[in-house]
Amino acid sequence: MSPALPRSVWWRRTAVALALAVPAALLALPWPWGATAAGGTAPTHLTLLLPDGAPPDSVQVQAWQAAAEETGFLLDVQSASQLMREGRPAAATVLVVPDGVHQRMNDALVAHIERLVQQGAQLMLVHDAGTATLDGRYHPTGSRLSALAGVRYALYGEWGPDMLTEQVAWVDAAAVPLLQIPPGKLMREGLDSPLTSAQAVPLASEDLALVSYHYGRLHYPGFKTAGTFDGQRLMHGAGNNLIAGVHRVGAGQVLFVNLPLTYLKLRTDGLLLHAFLRYFAQDLVGLPQLAPMAKGQGALIMNWHIDSASAVPAMEQLKGLGAFEQGPYSVHITAGPDVDVPGDGLGMDLARNATMQAWVKFFVSRGDEVGSHGGWIHNEFGRLIATQNRAQSASMIERNTQVVSRASGLPVREYSAPTGSHPAWVTPWLREHGVLAYYFTGDIGMPPTRSFQDGQPGQRDVWAFPVLSHGRQAAFEEAGAQHVPEADLAAWLKDVADFCANARTVRLVYFHPPGVTLFPQAFAAWLRHTRGLLDSGRLHWTTMAQHAHFANRRLQTRWHLEPRSEPAGSPGSGADKAPPAWRLVADHPVSLDELTWLLPADRYTQPQVLQGQAQVQRDGPFWRVTAGPGLHLALGLAAVGTALSPSTPPTPSKESL
């Protein structure tokens, strides 16, 4: 008799540094297996596969839905029996089988998935999905999906509970640009500083460990694997253990991820789920994407934490470095008169500090967002918030917020937690008080996200802004204490700006004004570099509140792809066969302005604007379609190798190449 499936052996093994996960690097490169052949039935969306009877609104499903929304890909949810009954062509089928949800499968479903992939379906197979039979037992010879994964795994019959292990997560150097892991999150073997452009280019065979703020190299749980992987390896553990890779199976392909992505995301470590989902949907499958950024343009967020009186003279030095010639920035203030304990007199004392009040007015005049940095007494608040009465902590946040608001003359819309301590209850409290954006030390390495904490979703319209770190350090004071060379910090900051521009994304970096004076040349060089990116139109500064406002407007977009019939004999169709054609239809209750779609240029010819207003531009491997003002947009799409003939006259639009 095979053993019963444990509730999750690795859950009970060390908690790992799950609260702070990472990924790293530059911009997506073309992947040789990524494009499907022109013609045929092209996929339009992802399908999250659930077992029959599984609640479609479970927190695990919400995690994947949130990730698809934030990365910008269409996703539907389907039960196993629905998949087996429907007649969707294999070439149009894109399945995601998640961990923690679909461990149990019968042999018929396993065979059906194998058949679909053989015939051209594309599959993202995650960790423990399908590793158990319907009676909840591991299969005696290992996972029945091993042939799809490309390695044998879930080998309870051979290794017992030791089939699950914790290991350092190593990214293959060739996979770094594919997964778009941000700078500062990879460390070479044998070194204790993160990889930057100041170092030699990694060798193709080099191991690069995922690292995180404070924790250094991260250990992740996964199955031991056996056999030689015949595919493109992306990540690995000790020895030959496969963590992630892409494997060809017949006419289809499989992205196997041997990590508990769902579990990690539910515990403030969503970067890997988002990274693999974007890579799968965009690079491997070639799905249209609703870009996370306005105009599809990258951005930076500079978040200042001003928490003591020592910040005032430092800000004068920042002015001399040219810090306030760019922006806008997010400026957060701890307003009380003390820092460590009541009565120490080391704080800002904003209510009575005329010099600091003048600085606040200066920030407002520049368009900076002035936010609240925690609860009145910076260090004491950070120490006590997790243990003291919630009402007491909330009153300290409210007191700080009120003083900051009076000084700026504006509502407080942003928040950052002193010492990074942000219990889950704080987020709904912030929402009730008008705050939609907060600095976060979880989900390290991610762009803004609706973070899940303690296994539960946060507020739908409140955005966490994970701080980006340089390996173990994020603030300059921390780098100074670890004797980080100024050249290393300068290279990291430059890499962050380039990454945001190239990957069309946004990241937050934060500073205390006194810390910047420790590395003035690195900071000044960074500003010179960002000036060039700003002038070229590839990057812009934004604030947490500005981005949260856009992100919430973007979530209101309703869009889909639908077949678009072409008359027989139209160009490229042949006498009796219409070319593959689609309509991308989008609607918004307020305005589509600046919302942007990225369409793979190796799949689609130049899109036609059929209704509404939009600019169409070629942008590297994509067609970039940026909507203008209006509530409705319709695009005509045709597969590469065919011509698109309008079935209805297009309405006036703006198009440019």
Side-chain angles (χ1 to χ4, degrees):
M1 177 188 263
S2 57
L5 180 68
R7 199 170 149 71
S8 259
V9 175
W10 54 264
W11 285 6
R12 298 192 297 270
R13 299 187 176 198
T14 86
V16 201
L18 295 180
L20 299 173
V22 268
L26 305 163
L27 75 149
L29 298 178
W31 176 248
W33 298 339
T36 59
T41 304
T44 60
H45 64 278
L46 302 160
T47 295
L48 188 72
L49 188 65
L50 302 183
D52 289 353
D57 60 350
S58 69
V59 67
Q60 291 88 353
V61 174
Q62 290 181 57
W64 284 89
Q65 289 172 326
E69 284 182 335
E70 292 174 19
T71 53
F73 300 100
L74 297 172
L75 177 142
D76 70 2
V77 176
Q78 193 172 52
S79 70
S81 60
Q82 287 173 327
L83 176 71
M84 296 182 72
R85 286 197 306 267
E86 76 169 3
R88 191 195 315 173
T93 302
V94 184
L95 293 178
V96 177
V97 190
D99 65 289
V101 176
H102 211 147
Q103 296 100 326
R104 301 184 183 197
M105 284 186 186
N106 62 26
D107 290 339
L109 178 59
V110 170
H112 186 70
I113 293 174
E114 288 178 333
R115 185 165 54 252
L116 284 173
V117 176
Q118 284 282 352
Q119 294 172 355
Q122 302 185 72
L123 170 66
M124 180 174 174
L125 176 63
V126 185
H127 190 52
D128 62 4
T131 53
T133 57
L134 286 184
D135 62 359
R137 299 182 183 279
Y138 285 116
H139 196 274
T141 60
S143 172
R144 292 158 295 164
L145 297 172
S146 290
L148 290 177
V151 288
R152 295 172 59 231
Y153 67 104
L155 302 171
Y156 197 98
E158 296 181 31
W159 293 324
D162 289 337
M163 70 175 179
L164 288 156
T165 183
E166 275 179 18
Q167 54 203 315
V168 173
W170 299 95
V171 180
D172 288 59
V176 168
L178 300 178
L179 296 180
Q180 295 190 0
I181 302 172
K185 297 308 171 199
L186 290 176
M187 191 177 290
R188 284 183 149 119
E189 189 171 15
L191 298 180
D192 197 33
S193 61
L195 178 69
T196 70
S197 60
Q199 303 167 19
V201 176
L203 300 174
S205 60
E206 188 167 3
D207 292 334
L208 301 168
L210 286 170
V211 298
S212 189
Y213 189 21
H214 288 309
Y215 289 90
R217 288 182 177 86
L218 295 172
H219 290 71
Y220 284 96
F223 290 106
K224 292 180 181 177
T225 64
T228 301
F229 181 62
D230 180 19
Q232 172 68 42
R233 192 179 70 176
L234 303 173
M235 291 177 61
H236 63 282
N240 202 34
N241 197 60
L242 181 72
I243 290 181
V246 183
H247 181 231
R248 270 285 187 190
V249 180
Q253 62 186 347
V254 179
L255 170 62
F256 176 54
V257 184
N258 182 16
L259 292 169
L261 298 182
T262 309
Y263 178 82
L264 294 173
K265 181 170 175 61
L266 294 180
R267 285 152 182 84
T268 67
D269 188 0
L271 192 146
L272 288 171
L273 190 155
H274 285 237
F276 280 111
L277 186 64
R278 186 217 57 80
Y279 171 64
F280 178 64
Q282 188 171 64
D283 293 1
L284 295 185
V285 181
L287 295 181
Q289 180 194 31
L290 174 57
M293 304 297 294
K295 301 181 181 179
Q297 184 190 60
L300 279 171
I301 297 171
M302 193 188 302
N303 184 202
W304 294 100
H305 290 188
I306 301 174
D307 50 37
S308 70
S310 63
V312 175
M315 287 190 293
E316 290 292 346
Q317 292 178 265
L318 289 173
K319 184 178 287 188
L321 291 173
F324 303 117
E325 295 171 11
Q326 297 184 39
Y329 309 137
S330 289
V331 182
H332 297 178
I333 300 172
T334 306
D338 309 308
V339 173
D340 295 310
V341 294
D344 65 23
L346 300 176
M348 186 61 62
D349 197 11
L350 180 60
R352 294 179 291 186
N353 187 332
T355 301
M356 191 60 207
Q357 290 170 5
W359 272 104
V360 170
K361 296 298 183 185
F362 171 71
F363 296 141
V364 171
S365 70
R366 284 175 23 85
D368 297 329
E369 189 76 27
V370 180
S372 177
H373 188 28
W376 199 244
I377 305 175
H378 184 275
N379 291 343
E380 183 177 70
F381 177 83
R383 286 193 303 268
L384 297 179
I385 187 172
T387 56
Q388 73 180 359
N389 179 276
R390 288 187 184 179
Q392 185 176 355
S393 293
S395 68
M396 295 176 73
I397 300 173
E398 188 166 18
R399 185 180 184 187
N400 198 78
T401 299
Q402 289 173 348
V403 172
V404 171
S405 181
R406 281 198 297 269
S408 69
L410 296 169
V412 167
R413 303 191 298 172
E414 299 181 357
Y415 173 85
S416 54
T419 70
S421 185
H422 189 106
W425 68 263
V426 173
T427 304
W429 187 95
L430 293 173
R431 179 65 185 88
E432 292 174 5
H433 291 77
V435 175
L436 299 178
Y438 63 95
Y439 157 100
F440 198 44
T441 54
D443 290 309
I444 291 294
M446 287 188 69
T449 184
R450 280 96 37 95
S451 188
F452 287 66
Q453 282 188 264
D454 301 334
Q456 296 299 317
Q459 306 294 296
R460 175 169 172 77
D461 59 351
V462 180
W463 293 82
F465 286 73
V467 62
L468 194 58
S469 67
H470 172 266
R472 296 174 184 268
Q473 307 92 26
F476 274 15
E477 295 91 336
E478 296 163 337
Q482 296 300 315
H483 309 292
V484 174
E486 187 161 17
D488 284 2
L489 281 183
W492 170 67
L493 289 171
K494 175 184 178 294
D495 293 348
V496 170
D498 289 340
F499 171 78
C500 290
N502 294 334
R504 306 174 186 83
T505 187
V506 60
R507 290 299 189 275
L508 177 147
V509 290
Y510 99 108
F511 304 94
H512 302 95
V516 174
T517 63
L518 300 174
F519 299 96
Q521 299 308 312
F523 188 80
W526 183 46
L527 290 178
R528 289 193 297 272
H529 187 67
T530 58
R531 170 54 65 191
L533 293 172
L534 297 173
D535 292 344
S536 69
R538 299 180 56 221
L539 191 73
H540 68 281
W541 292 103
T542 190
T543 69
M544 294 162 61
Q546 287 173 347
H547 184 80
H549 176 75
F550 169 79
N552 285 330
R553 181 166 68 88
R554 175 180 172 274
L555 288 179
Q556 295 178 278
T557 310
R558 295 292 173 262
W559 67 286
H560 66 278
L561 273 76
E562 60 190 25
R564 181 168 183 259
S565 299
E566 292 295 317
S570 61
S573 67
D576 57 358
K577 184 178 180 183
W582 300 266
R583 282 167 53 93
L584 188 156
V585 179
D587 292 280
H588 199 282
V590 180
S591 176
L592 290 165
D593 194 29
E594 296 189 343
L595 292 168
T596 300
W597 281 263
L598 298 175
L599 306 168
D602 62 354
R603 165 163 293 172
Y604 299 107
T605 60
Q606 181 184 344
Q608 291 185 358
V609 180
L610 303 177
Q611 295 175 319
Q613 299 183 54
Q615 291 185 339
V616 180
Q617 297 173 301
R618 183 64 185 263
D619 186 354
F622 302 106
W623 295 109
R624 177 158 52 94
V625 181
T626 302
L631 307 182
H632 179 75
L633 178 68
L635 302 176
L637 307 178
V640 168
T642 66
L644 183 64
S645 61
S647 57
T648 56
T651 56
S653 62
K654 300 176 182 177
E655 294 189 47
S656 62
L657 276 178

